[in-house]
Amino acid sequence: RDMADRKYRIPLLKVGIEEGLVDLNKFGDYGNYPIEITPFMLFLTWNPSVEDVKWMINHGADPDIKDSTGDDAVEWADNSEIKELLEK
């Protein structure tokens, strides 16, 4: 299921960004999280590729932004290679 979700979620998110419909850094109630996060933080929970993360950053995602509890994007990423990229 995760791969199927990733297959559709990430391309749809990219279209929303390209069309100006999604602000990667806008806080809101996304997903099933009890705190306010950004679409970029939610995206990091979808097991994205390093290339997808680079694409998001190149299209305005702020890797330094913090959620409402003070965790940054590095805390939201599960992959060590992505964590490394975000720490640069």
Side-chain angles (χ1 to χ4, degrees):
R1 173 169 158 96
D2 286 340
M3 288 307 289
D5 285 350
R6 183 183 182 285
K7 179 180 177 184
Y8 298 108
R9 284 181 179 179
I10 292 173
L12 286 172
L13 181 59
K14 286 181 176 182
V15 168
I17 293 163
E18 289 173 337
E19 295 296 320
L21 303 172
V22 176
D23 178 347
L24 287 167
N25 302 310
K26 182 178 180 177
F27 281 91
D29 184 18
Y30 304 105
N32 295 321
Y33 297 95
I35 59 173
E36 285 204 345
I37 60 173
T38 67
F40 182 56
M41 290 170 180
L42 180 61
F43 158 78
L44 290 171
T45 69
W46 295 345
N47 192 26
S49 68
V50 171
E51 290 76 27
D52 287 332
V53 175
K54 287 179 182 177
W55 189 94
M56 295 291 166
I57 292 169
N58 288 334
H59 285 80
D62 180 357
D64 298 320
I65 202 164
K66 296 184 185 312
D67 67 23
S68 59
T69 66
D71 287 340
D72 62 12
V74 173
E75 296 296 323
W76 280 86
D78 291 330
N79 177 308
S80 61
E81 195 174 358
I82 291 173
K83 286 181 182 277
E84 217 174 283
L85 170 69
L86 294 170
E87 289 174 334
K88 290 182 180 179

